[in-house]
Amino acid sequence: MGEQDLDALALGSVRRVERSAAGDGADPEGVSAVPDRATVRLALVVGGLVLAVLLGFGLGRINGGGPAAGGAVDSALADHVHAPGIGAHSHGAGQAEAAEAGGLAVSRDGYTLTPASAEFTAGRAGELRFQIRDEQRRAVTRFAVVHDKPMHLIVVRRDLTGYQHLHPTMAADGTWSVPLTLPEPGVWRAYADFTALADDGRQTATTLGVDLVAPGGYAPRALPAPATTATVDGFTVGYHGTPEPGLTVPLVFRVTAGDGTGPALERYLGAYGHLVVLREGDLGYLHVHPEPELVDGAIQFWLATPASGRYRLYLDFATGGEARTAEFTAAVP
């Protein structure tokens, strides 16, 4: 908008007065063409606001070079290149999804998780079969390979025990299947973590969740107290870093063998470690992003928690050709 346009906006009523004065001085509709002071004042104020916005936009482009000036946007969804030990950083615009819990619904982002059956017999080997369907209820058959697999399936009981990280296989019709045993009665949560490929090439990464049931006497276990160390198969795993609501923070995990030495960590599913974080209560599933390489011999992740509460952390790591899982409880103030 140029200066003439701004003048027209701010002084339009005055110019109408001038045009009326050039005639016979009478309004054709019987209404006076002379504006009152309030009308003129309002027009001037609106024109001033428009001018201020335009000036601010121009100065912003000169000083900042646009929204992405000064380097790449810092996002938990992008590859992190921070130096080891850097502190937490807050979420900026467009980063809300980084701290948003997933797996709370069977439908999200235009996709629906549809199991063939959701009931199992506790302690008996079974099979979970399901499809991912699009908005036209068509079975999706194209998925991106992420961490060496097109589909990651996480299963855990609602008291956050019995964690399993599985990898189903897909048939030609888009039906996924995987052997599954629910060792104890109760309600279990299954999370399908995948990246779907649409016909137009769009990639949609999402996590869908569905409840599975193993009928019987359900005796939920209390969540262990918060701790930063855990033991599994003779290995001690500890981490440092403090999760905070609304911040993306580094969590660094170090594995120590029984003799006090650091074992040689191996890549498992394309990375030195995988971290699943579930929120107590609604079992919200958090995406956690690892560094591609070890940081001073440790496994570093970037975690964004959306709110206060207690969370269960499951770290998958591999050494000696075997994958193991260390579990922790973390309290976010």
Side-chain angles (χ1 to χ4, degrees):
M1 184 180 293
E3 293 180 357
Q4 294 180 350
D5 294 326
L6 290 175
D7 290 342
L9 177 62
L11 304 178
S13 298
V14 176
R15 288 176 179 172
R16 182 184 172 202
V17 173
E18 295 172 349
R19 286 195 300 271
S20 298
D24 59 7
D27 190 292
E29 298 176 357
V31 180
S32 174
V34 179
D36 56 24
R37 292 184 178 180
T39 302
V40 175
R41 185 180 297 111
L42 177 60
L44 292 173
V45 170
V46 171
L49 289 174
V50 172
L51 182 59
V53 170
L54 291 174
L55 289 174
F57 177 76
L59 290 173
R61 292 181 61 85
I62 294 172
N63 294 332
V73 175
D74 187 13
S75 169
L77 299 179
D79 291 336
H80 279 272
V81 293
H82 306 292
I86 193 169
H89 53 274
S90 60
H91 297 294
Q95 297 187 46
E97 292 181 1
E100 181 183 356
L104 297 175
V106 295
S107 295
R108 177 175 173 172
D109 300 325
Y111 297 95
T112 299
L113 171 59
T114 307
S117 175
E119 184 170 320
F120 289 76
T121 300
R124 181 180 300 177
E127 182 182 59
L128 177 63
R129 300 175 68 249
F130 63 92
Q131 289 183 334
I132 304 298
R133 297 180 181 174
D134 62 16
E135 293 177 315
Q136 287 73 46
R137 296 192 57 77
R138 301 172 302 183
V140 180
T141 58
R142 299 179 63 219
F143 298 82
V145 174
V146 180
H147 291 304
D148 289 352
K149 299 290 182 180
M151 177 70 67
H152 296 265
L153 185 75
I154 304 299
V155 179
V156 67
R157 200 168 68 161
R158 280 208 160 266
D159 60 358
L160 298 175
T161 63
Y163 168 88
Q164 301 179 52
H165 184 166
L166 308 172
H167 301 102
T169 56
M170 189 186 73
D173 67 350
T175 299
W176 295 88
S177 60
V178 64
L180 176 62
T181 300
L182 303 182
E184 296 182 280
V187 178
W188 295 69
R189 191 71 174 171
Y191 303 88
D193 187 341
F194 61 91
T195 297
L197 300 178
D199 294 338
D200 60 5
R202 288 181 297 110
Q203 297 190 18
T204 302
T206 192
T207 302
L208 305 178
V210 68
D211 281 345
L212 308 176
V213 179
Y218 173 41
R221 295 186 179 89
L223 199 64
T228 57
T229 60
T231 58
V232 54
D233 295 341
F235 294 94
T236 298
V237 184
Y239 78 88
H240 68 266
T242 304
E244 298 182 48
L247 296 179
T248 300
V249 301
L251 296 186
V252 181
F253 291 80
R254 188 172 299 277
V255 180
T256 305
D259 59 3
T261 62
L265 297 176
E266 302 163 356
R267 291 188 181 274
Y268 169 61
L269 299 173
Y272 284 105
H274 298 274
L275 185 64
V276 172
V277 178
L278 301 178
R279 181 169 57 192
E280 182 186 34
D282 63 359
L283 272 65
Y285 179 104
L286 302 184
H287 290 277
V288 188
H289 306 273
E291 292 289 352
E293 302 295 335
L294 294 175
V295 178
D296 190 26
I299 313 167
Q300 179 168 300
F301 299 88
W302 295 88
L303 172 64
T305 49
S308 300
R310 295 201 299 176
Y311 294 80
R312 194 68 170 161
L313 284 58
Y314 307 88
L315 171 69
D316 296 327
F317 67 96
T319 183
E322 184 176 351
R324 299 172 173 83
T325 302
E327 303 184 14
F328 310 82
T329 299
V332 179

